[in-house]
Amino acid sequence: MAAQLYGVIGYPVTPFRDGGIDTAVLTTVIDRLVKAGVHAIAPLGSTGELAYLDEDEFDTCVDASVAAVAGRVPVLVGVSDLTTARTVRRARYAAQAGADAVMVSPVSYWKLCEREIIAHYAAVSDAIDIDIVAYNNPATSGIDMSPELLVAMSEDIEHVTMVKESTGDLSRMLRIATLSDGRLPFFNGSNPLVLDALRAGAAGWCTAAPNLRPQPCLDLYTAVTAGELDKAQACYDDLKPLLEFIVAGGLPTTVKAGLDMLGVPAGEPRRPLLPLDEAGQAELRELLSR
């Protein structure tokens, strides 16, 4: 299964309407990404506002996402939750719905020790028969997993087969490659770091940017894999202002605003997140017009 995940992994937003999931617009968002050429779809990441969904909404989003993809590319579903029990439930639901892999970040109110993190991932692994991407993003989860821990879990926990590293620290990716002798695929989750990460051997790029400018994202990945580093640099230079903007402004907020500008009514982010302000909209409109 791990070999099926590579390249540009597109992260769709979760559109809301009348207090619930707008599955029609979600289908449109995902279809645009697949037709643009992304190599996989990852609903319910940070961009998909997973932290703000209840369980029924989670299930609805999973079902609609898998149906929208319709087997055209792999589906990686975010299932993270504060509790192990709900994370396991979500992972089981995603697996039964047809997801190819799940992404798990050890979200926590209390800081977890390594023993607790390992037990959390082991419980998810024991509950499913598909792969797990261990997602390290301390900025959102509050937990920072070291390369040593990530590699150890991949060796000791059956379904932990990949890592998404989002700290923006290239040395961590290089350390994962060294500790695993290159056997543990790692994915870049830090948009501004993408060029350096792909050059360093990242198996792919997990990003919301293709919602707004898919072709330059794909061109960047293709250029790096083809060894055309000058072209890759040019693609990155073109994308960099947008990548920095959507990260600084918050992915759900900025990407939903951008989709609306492109004629896709993705709605507003869920409170406490707020829609993009007028100054931000003007800047984003200029970035999308380039």
Side-chain angles (χ1 to χ4, degrees), residues 139-208:
T140 56
S141 71
I143 301 293
D144 191 0
M145 295 184 287
S146 69
E148 288 77 9
L149 175 60
L150 291 165
V151 172
M153 288 198 300
S154 75
E155 294 171 345
D156 297 336
I157 301 175
E158 180 180 3
H159 296 299
V160 175
T161 59
M162 294 165 279
V163 169
K164 177 184 173 185
E165 171 55 59
S166 295
T167 60
D169 183 349
L170 184 64
S171 68
R172 288 171 176 254
M173 298 184 193
L174 297 174
R175 183 69 174 155
I176 289 169
T178 298
L179 290 170
S180 68
D181 292 326
R183 293 190 297 270
L184 179 58
F186 61 90
F187 293 80
N188 172 60
S190 172
N191 280 307
L193 189 67
V194 57
L195 181 56
D196 289 338
L198 291 174
R199 284 173 170 170
W205 175 22
C206 300
T207 178

Side-chain angles (χ1 to χ4, degrees), residues 67 226 289:
S289 68

Side-chain angles (χ1 to χ4, degrees), residues 12-68:
V13 297
T14 299
F16 300 117
R17 181 183 297 275
D18 299 327
I21 308 296
D22 189 332
T23 56
V25 175
L26 177 59
T27 298
T28 297
V29 169
I30 290 174
D31 194 54
R32 289 176 77 253
L33 287 167
V34 175
K35 288 180 176 177
V38 300
H39 302 97
I41 295 290
L44 297 168
S46 301
T47 304
E49 299 178 73
L50 171 61
Y52 303 134
L53 303 186
D54 63 29
E55 297 308 283
D56 287 342
E57 290 173 330
F58 172 89
D59 295 352
T60 296
C61 192
V62 170
D63 291 338
S65 298
V66 172

Side-chain angles (χ1 to χ4, degrees), residues 67-253:
V69 172
R72 290 175 289 175
V73 295
V75 177
L76 167 65
V77 175
V79 300
S80 305
D81 188 82
L82 273 170
T83 69
T84 299
R86 279 199 297 267
T87 304
V88 166
R89 191 209 73 82
R90 290 176 170 186
R92 281 179 172 153
Y93 192 92
Q96 292 166 0
D100 297 281
V102 295
M103 183 173 63
V104 178
S105 180
V107 183
S108 183
Y109 177 88
W110 296 104
K111 185 176 180 180
L112 304 181
C113 67
E114 288 194 357
R115 181 171 63 92
E116 291 166 328
I117 294 170
I118 292 167
H120 183 69
Y121 278 93
V124 177
S125 180
D126 289 344
I128 59 176
D129 290 318
I130 60 176
D131 288 311
I132 297 170
V133 176
Y135 178 23
N136 189 47
N137 189 358
T140 56
S141 71
I143 301 293
D144 191 0
M145 295 184 287
S146 69
E148 288 77 9
L149 175 60
L150 291 165
V151 172
M153 288 198 300
S154 75
E155 294 171 345
D156 297 336
I157 301 175
E158 180 180 3
H159 296 299
V160 175
T161 59
M162 294 165 279
V163 169
K164 177 184 173 185
E165 171 55 59
S166 295
T167 60
D169 183 349
L170 184 64
S171 68
R172 288 171 176 254
M173 298 184 193
L174 297 174
R175 183 69 174 155
I176 289 169
T178 298
L179 290 170
S180 68
D181 292 326
R183 293 190 297 270
L184 179 58
F186 61 90
F187 293 80
N188 172 60
S190 172
N191 280 307
L193 189 67
V194 57
L195 181 56
D196 289 338
L198 291 174
R199 284 173 170 170
W205 175 22
C206 300
T207 178
N211 287 284
L212 305 182
R213 295 193 64 198
Q215 197 57 52
C217 298
L218 294 162
D219 289 345
L220 171 56
Y221 174 76
T222 300
V224 174
T225 56
E228 299 173 349
L229 298 185
D230 288 343
K231 181 178 179 180
Q233 184 68 58
C235 292
Y236 176 73
D237 291 342
D238 176 43
L239 276 170
K240 184 180 178 182
L242 177 64
L243 298 180
E244 293 179 339
F245 178 85
I246 63 176
V247 171
L251 295 173
T253 296

